Amino acid sequence: MPALAFQSSNLLHESKEAPPKDYSIGRAPPPHTFPPPSRQELEYADLAIIDLSKAATPKGRQELATQVSEAMHEQGFFYIVNHGYTQSQTNRIFSIANRTFDGVSPEEKKLFTGKSESVYEGYKPKQAWKIQNGVRDQIEHYNINRDVHRRDHPEAICPYLDELQEFAHYNHYNILVPILKLLALGLELPEDTLVAQHDFKSPGESSVRFMKYYPRSEEEEEKTKQVWLKGHKDIGSITILWSQPVGGLQILSPDGKWRWVRHMENALVINAGNAIEFLCGGYYPGTRHRVIQPPEDQRNCPRLGVFYFAMANDDVKLKPHAESPVLAKAGIKKFCEPEDAPTMEEWRTGCTAAYGRSSLTAGTEQGVEEETIHGVLVKHFN
């Protein structure tokens, strides 16, 4: 790993906003109760654990920059702990997420179902995507743009909109921005290089997403070989997943083996997506991941997820920062010619319109299906 050039001591905490407000004294959503973590013997991925509180000191920031850059370069996934939300605040967000699905009638959900194939705002209903052998998905989404108030929402979650706006703001400024600065420093770029391409106030589709996977029949599990969501890379920049105990998430490790991602109480699971991979010349590769049927002792449990999907500004061309000294030494992986690079908006709309709908072709690797989007080969792993 090359030496890191620090351009400023004002790396992280100086740019952070105030700690999240305590909304517990307000109207409380019906509490969501998770099952206990699985006790099965599973093969877990060995991922770095990043203590974000260390960013309070120059020495801690230097240590974090090395850790984050190495973790993203080698694995594409890592954990964050000590991020500023308490366990009770995290539990409340999950309770709001669950209310989005269980507290809204099917009729009202139809009123808030995304009308465009290229952008999910509002609900994505179950059965929208093809999985395998005629089986369609059992996954429900509710997507909320980072500008929470730019559209209407179901009545059940209206009391929590200010709270969700702050949650989006916190994910962006207190988690995403520090990560982007550390990744830029890992490439020996000015620390705000990637931050400038992820402006909270610019047009874009970074969003909070609530996601619920529902159990399937034994017949469907057999037809899909227990795959609930095919192996893929995220299309955005950075995905922030709020850890929860129902298993199912697996990553494709560097040795080519699928391994489970372990639940860590009140931790975040961070991964790189296509946009960061493109902007950073392949140095921070997006790691392929999938969701499969939960372990046997959680088999009949719905799987509730809370995410912040960060994307670059819509007008950002997804071409590598060739000025990086690290990329000059390591080499730049080209996904397409720089002049042909899509914008974030073009990449986002192309990928979301195709996902789960397009006809895929068999790839050269076993169990891999392929398609081409904006001149870039996209692989799906069964």
Side-chain angles (χ1 to χ4, degrees), residues 240-258:
I240 301 169
L241 181 157
W242 292 69
S243 188
Q244 54 77 42
V246 180
L249 177 62
Q250 293 186 329
I251 69 170
L252 190 61
S253 299
D255 64 0
K257 192 169 185 177
W258 289 103

Side-chain angles (χ1 to χ4, degrees), residues 2 33 49 54 102 116 125 165 185 200 214 235 253 264 267 269 272 274 281 305 315 328 344 381:
T33 302
I49 301 173
K54 291 182 178 180
D102 292 2
S116 168
Q165 182 64 74
L185 289 175
F200 191 85
Y214 296 87
I235 66 175
S253 299
M264 290 182 60
V269 181
N274 291 148
D315 62 356
M344 184 72 252
F381 286 69

Side-chain angles (χ1 to χ4, degrees), residues 25 47 210 275 340:
I25 59 175
L47 302 179
F210 301 147
D340 298 327

